[in-house]
Amino acid sequence: MRVFYWNSQGLDKDGARAKLQELSYLHKPDVICIAEPHVLCSVRFVRSLNLVDFSEDVITNEVDGDKGNIWILWRNTLLRPDILSTSKQAITVNFAGDFITDVHASYNPVVRKRLWRQLDLGFISIPWLVLGDFNCVLRLEEKKGGRLIKEVYMNEFRSWISDNGLVEADAIGKKYTWSNCRSGAHRIVSRHDREVFNDAWCYKYANWRCKALPRVCSDHSHLFGFAFENPKPTIVPFRIQKMCLSHPGFMQLVEERWSLDLNGAPPFVFTSKLKRLKEVLKILNKTIFGDVRFRLKQAELKLETENDLLDYDPADEFQFLRVADSKKEVDDVRTELAIMLKMKSKVTWLEDGDQDTRLFHNNIRMRRSQNTISELKISNDTTLFLQDEIKDYVFHHYQAKFNGGDVHIDPVLFDIEDESISATESAYMDAIPSLEEVKMTIFFGS
């Protein structure tokens, strides 16, 4: 699914129609959301947009012949969506199980409150994307110039996002999506346009990003939301997880693998042991990660059973101790899970006992998305989008940077006479280092 949004400030302008055609051809969206087209929706006008492979049917909030301020268009490959709700500020449609809400919020904060009530769907399990012009910002730094935004308006926006389990899309491109097109002290820029989505949308469309394109033919940026493939690298550095350190058999496993007898030079023996230990720890990592949630479920079921038995005979002190032991087991496994999520999400302020894992799952997904290069601009008129092209360009860039070219070495440098080392010194340099020397070098650096 690829979704495009634009507050066009009038689609009847030739420049606006041409730009819409250009962006549709370039980015190939599946759904196009338009705000403020400033024209009555008709089949004739839709045909004049020349959107290839798009349906001539359009969902709009026109009422009794009045111009609608929101349009939704879609490709012929998609079935006509069901309309879930419509108003002057938003239209929500259902594309075969994907909810998409096209927003054009009022500049009036009192009227905008109705939008938050209309879009109060809660923590739904259906993929839901909300995009458009919210006419409000989430943070003070998202606006420059003009009057200072009241904190209460931002809090209303934040509360709606939080109450519905939504998160902001990873944003790239232009920081400010709207401008009043004035200069000097009268200029105002702001991030009015954005995309937010819920967990279900993130799971279905991994690595979802929102790109804000330059403002052309309107005072608003175009928004382009898309998911991209994030291929796993072939070479992944090994990192031991802290959960392994709490495993009861961890130290015994390390001692067994390190004490294996191997024949050969000390450097070879050391490298071989380290390699074997790393392979075993990889298996241990995978075993613990794959097992921790299952063990937590089993521990919780056991605690529930023990509590039921205690409820049957509250005076049984032995059963009370069994309940206490089961509760400790549940807490220990939960701590392991929290440590794992903390390390994967890089949230450093996690405290022991915090059980709100939804935050860390969101951090993990967002961090993976932010750490991935979805496009790379290599010149003013060239941008790479394909992952293979980006990988090859980066590889050849650094290969040329660090390999260097042909170097001319002056043979006169080798004509300088100097005292040669003695036979004793030569033999000492060729000698295989002892185990004690290897240990001292690795552990003490001397």
Side-chain angles (χ1 to χ4, degrees), residues 273-427:
K273 287 185 177 183
L274 192 62
K275 184 177 180 181
R276 291 190 179 188
L277 181 60
K278 186 186 296 184
E279 292 173 354
V280 174
L281 291 178
K282 283 183 179 180
I283 298 174
L284 184 61
N285 275 346
K286 186 178 295 186
T287 302
I288 292 178
F289 285 175
D291 188 52
V292 63
R293 290 184 176 85
F294 174 77
R295 287 192 292 116
L296 178 59
K297 185 66 175 178
Q298 294 298 104
E300 289 174 340
L301 291 174
K302 181 181 177 182
L303 176 60
E304 182 180 353
T305 302
E306 299 294 354
N307 271 319
D308 290 341
L309 293 174
L310 181 61
D311 292 342
Y312 182 76
D313 186 5
D316 189 344
E317 294 185 4
F318 179 72
Q319 184 61 31
F320 181 80
L321 295 176
R322 290 174 65 90
V323 170
D325 291 340
S326 298
K327 186 177 184 305
K328 183 180 183 305
E329 184 179 353
V330 170
D331 291 340
D332 290 342
V333 180
R334 281 179 175 170
T335 300
E336 290 185 18
L337 178 61
I339 292 173
M340 179 187 73
L341 293 174
K342 173 185 175 182
M343 294 188 65
K344 295 180 73 175
S345 65
K346 292 296 181 67
V347 177
T348 57
W349 42 263
L350 170 65
E351 295 182 358
D352 292 341
D354 191 343
Q355 304 305 325
D356 185 12
T357 60
R358 176 180 168 271
L359 168 67
F360 306 109
H361 286 295
N362 285 336
N363 271 281
I364 291 168
R365 291 194 295 269
M366 295 301 293
R367 179 169 162 261
R368 287 174 179 169
S369 176
Q370 293 169 355
N371 288 344
T372 304
I373 301 175
S374 58
E375 59 183 62
L376 183 64
K377 186 174 183 179
I378 59 177
S379 65
N380 290 334
D381 56 354
T382 305
T383 302
L384 303 180
F385 296 97
L386 299 179
Q387 289 294 307
D388 288 341
E389 292 181 350
I390 294 174
K391 180 181 68 175
D392 291 341
Y393 179 84
V394 172
F395 173 79
H396 291 304
H397 171 78
Y398 284 103
Q399 185 183 51
K401 182 180 181 69
F402 294 113
N403 281 0
D406 296 333
V407 179
H408 174 70
I409 300 177
D410 190 350
V412 177
L413 296 175
F414 298 97
D415 295 337
I416 300 175
E417 295 184 0
D418 195 6
E419 295 183 1
S420 60
I421 62 175
S422 65
T424 304
E425 291 172 328
S426 177

Side-chain angles (χ1 to χ4, degrees), residues 25-45:
Y25 175 79
L26 179 63
H27 296 290
K28 297 178 173 52
D30 299 297
V31 179
I32 295 179
C33 301
I34 301 292
E36 296 194 66
H38 292 175
V39 65
L40 285 172
C41 184
S42 65
V43 174
R44 180 178 180 181
F45 184 80

Side-chain angles (χ1 to χ4, degrees), residues 87-102:
S87 71
K88 193 69 175 176
Q89 299 187 80
I91 298 178
T92 300
V93 294
N94 179 8
F95 280 98
D98 291 343
F99 288 5
I100 296 179
T101 299
D102 183 0

Side-chain angles (χ1 to χ4, degrees), residues 127-138:
W128 184 24
L129 173 70
V130 188
L131 74 165
D133 176 10
F134 290 89
N135 253 314
C136 187
V137 297
L138 285 173

Side-chain angles (χ1 to χ4, degrees), residues 249-264:
F250 174 74
M251 288 307 301
Q252 182 181 355
L253 176 66
V254 173
E255 291 176 0
E256 290 177 354
R257 293 294 165 175
W258 198 256
S259 61
L260 292 176
D261 291 331
L262 293 175
N263 297 322

Side-chain angles (χ1 to χ4, degrees), residues 2 4 10 67 72 125 134 144 207 231 239 264 314 319 321 335 370 411 419 432:
R2 301 161 73 86
F4 177 85
K67 297 175 183 178
I72 299 180
S125 59
F134 290 89
K144 286 187 176 181
N207 301 313
R239 294 183 178 91
Q319 184 61 31
L321 295 176
T335 300
Q370 293 169 355
E419 295 183 1
I432 298 176

